Amino acid sequence: MNSLQRMATAAVSLVLCVGATGAATAAPVAAHAPKGTSKSACRLPAPQQPGTSELRTISSGGRDRTYQLHLPDDYAKKRDWPVVLAFHGRGNTGAGTEEFSKLSTLPAVVVYPDGVIGTGDGDRQAWQGAPYAAAGVDDVRFTEDLLDRLEATLCVDERRVYATGKSNGAGFVGTLLACRAADRIAAIAPVAAALYPTGEECEPSRPVPVIEFHGTGDATIPYTGDADRGLPAIRDWVAGWAGHNGCAPRSRDRVTGSDITVTRWRGCDRGAEVRHVAVTDGGHTWPGADSYSGGGYTTQTIEAHEVMWRFLRTFRTPAPSSPRH
């Protein structure tokens, strides 16, 4: 009996150590999720056929909002699944982003929210933070309402929620969502981000790991920035996140493919590493897309969904002191 007690104590200590560092293995592990609605939701039947995507509606901020929900093929095997939130670019939709991003091939519940029609030319959906976004729309609150819905109805791991996006959606992730909701977003992966100034300081409640993708030949959101629109140079913006995360000031570049250079900042607080993936001559596109994702050159040297997943899947938010629900 004493031997068994010592083994049990060691196992508990190991779980606590993993939770404290924020690192994890690739597979979702049920023991790391807090006890709450998401755990009881694991006993609920799947709301749709595993392996499928369906358009769903939720009320947030007095509006009916929509999102495309994709369940992995083997969702029926009850375990706490990670969640990937994917925010579309201006004028696109969640369903459109699903088509080119290949995110629905990941071992995760993938959610593609839809923005609200903004201002400017045509009926184009957009996200908070951009100058053309609809006035009075709180997309951070919408995202949190959406996470509440997912955690109440699906078997998901509340500590393994990741956010990515393209263009305007990526800008929303990098300038607002990760800054205001770091307690719920474990790590982010902006792609070709439109990083418009929001007028507020980004002060996340914890270091947020970041992997960012951008083409050096992007004519829509220039890699070197655009002072007239208040857009920063991309590498400077990523270095700013490294500063937020307390990383060592010196970065290291590594050429990993004929048109791919990866910059890494290490020594970051709580292991919150920052990486920048530059695509030489790349356009306003999603790396690895085999259908239209934007103007300019699309590299096939890497698949963005695979590269970001290898990075994102290792991070968790800290365990809450009590259930959110």
Side-chain angles (χ1 to χ4, degrees), residues 140 163 169-191 193-198 200-214 232-251 263-277 311-312 315 317:
V140 176
F172 165 68
V173 167
T175 63
L176 285 175
L177 185 63
C179 301
R180 295 186 186 176
D183 61 324
R184 303 191 74 171
I185 305 299
I188 63 172
V191 179
L195 300 163
Y196 293 101
T198 63
E200 65 181 68
E201 289 294 323
C202 181
E203 297 179 342
S205 60
R206 51 172 278 274
V208 179
V210 177
I211 182 168
E212 189 274 343
F213 301 76
H214 214 101
I234 298 301
R235 190 178 174 110
D236 291 346
W237 181 84
V238 183
W241 261 107
H244 281 310
N245 290 0
C247 305
R250 176 171 291 186
S251 60
T263 304
R264 302 177 71 172
W265 286 262
R266 294 183 174 179
C268 310
D269 293 346
R270 304 184 198 177
E273 186 176 330
V274 175
R275 297 186 194 180
H276 167 53
V277 181
F311 177 86
L312 296 173
F315 298 103
T317 54

Side-chain angles (χ1 to χ4, degrees), residues 13 17 21 37 49 56-57 64 68 90 98 100 168 205 253 259 266 275-276 279 290 315:
S13 299
C17 289
T21 60
T37 304
Q49 189 69 23
R56 297 188 172 274
T57 303
D64 285 339
Q68 185 91 343
R90 184 189 186 193
E98 183 178 21
F100 67 71
N168 170 219
S205 60
D253 292 347
D259 56 357
R266 294 183 174 179
R275 297 186 194 180
H276 167 53
V279 181
D290 51 17
F315 298 103

Side-chain angles (χ1 to χ4, degrees), residues 6-325:
R6 286 194 298 271
M7 292 172 64
T9 300
V12 170
S13 299
L14 178 59
V15 169
L16 291 175
C17 289
V18 171
T21 60
T25 58
V29 182
H32 290 280
K35 294 180 180 179
T37 304
S38 66
K39 297 301 291 180
S40 60
C42 291
R43 297 190 291 270
L44 298 175
Q48 64 198 53
Q49 189 69 23
T52 65
S53 300
E54 290 189 7
L55 186 67
R56 297 188 172 274
T57 303
I58 184 175
S59 178
S60 177
R63 299 171 182 264
D64 285 339
R65 303 291 299 268
T66 57
Y67 61 98
Q68 185 91 343
L69 172 65
H70 178 83
L71 298 185
D73 289 338
D74 50 352
Y75 174 82
K77 296 178 181 178
K78 295 296 184 181
R79 63 181 188 181
D80 288 351
W81 290 90
V83 175
V84 175
L85 302 171
F87 295 86
H88 62 72
R90 184 189 186 193
N92 206 331
T93 63
T97 301
E98 183 178 21
E99 288 183 11
F100 67 71
S101 68
K102 305 181 187 177
L103 290 167
S104 289
T105 64
L106 297 179
V109 170
V110 187
V111 185
Y112 304 87
D114 290 315
V116 173
I117 292 175
T119 61
D121 54 330
D123 295 337
R124 305 175 72 183
Q125 297 179 120
W127 296 102
Q128 181 183 5
Y132 43 74
V137 175
D138 188 343
D139 283 321
V140 176
R141 178 70 262 170
F142 163 52
T143 303
E144 294 190 307
D145 290 342
L146 180 53
L147 288 174
D148 289 344
R149 165 72 65 84
L150 298 173
E151 291 164 6
T153 58
L154 294 171
C155 192
V156 296
D157 188 339
E158 299 173 14
R159 295 180 58 200
R160 299 186 71 209
V161 177
Y162 311 111
T164 183
K166 166 73 171 25
S167 191
N168 170 219
F172 165 68
V173 167
T175 63
L176 285 175
L177 185 63
C179 301
R180 295 186 186 176
D183 61 324
R184 303 191 74 171
I185 305 299
I188 63 172
V191 179
L195 300 163
Y196 293 101
T198 63
E200 65 181 68
E201 289 294 323
C202 181
E203 297 179 342
S205 60
R206 51 172 278 274
V208 179
V210 177
I211 182 168
E212 189 274 343
F213 301 76
H214 214 101
T216 65
D218 190 329
T220 303
I221 305 296
Y223 186 79
T224 55
D226 183 341
D228 290 340
R229 290 187 286 166
L231 296 172
I234 298 301
R235 190 178 174 110
D236 291 346
W237 181 84
V238 183
W241 261 107
H244 281 310
N245 290 0
C247 305
R250 176 171 291 186
S251 60
R252 179 172 298 178
D253 292 347
R254 181 176 173 224
V255 177
T256 62
S258 59
D259 56 357
I260 304 297
T261 301
V262 179
T263 304
R264 302 177 71 172
W265 286 262
R266 294 183 174 179
C268 310
D269 293 346
R270 304 184 198 177
E273 186 176 330
V274 175
R275 297 186 194 180
H276 167 53
V277 181
V279 181
T280 303
D281 298 326
H284 194 60
T285 56
W286 184 278
D290 51 17
S291 60
Y292 182 79
S293 65
Y297 165 64
T298 303
T299 183
Q300 298 300 321
T301 305
I302 60 170
E303 301 267 0
H305 72 291
E306 294 178 347
V307 175
M308 70 172 66
W309 182 245
R310 287 194 294 269
F311 177 86
L312 296 173
R313 69 188 184 184
T314 63
F315 298 103
R316 287 183 170 86
T317 54
S321 57
S322 60
R324 295 191 180 97
H325 304 282

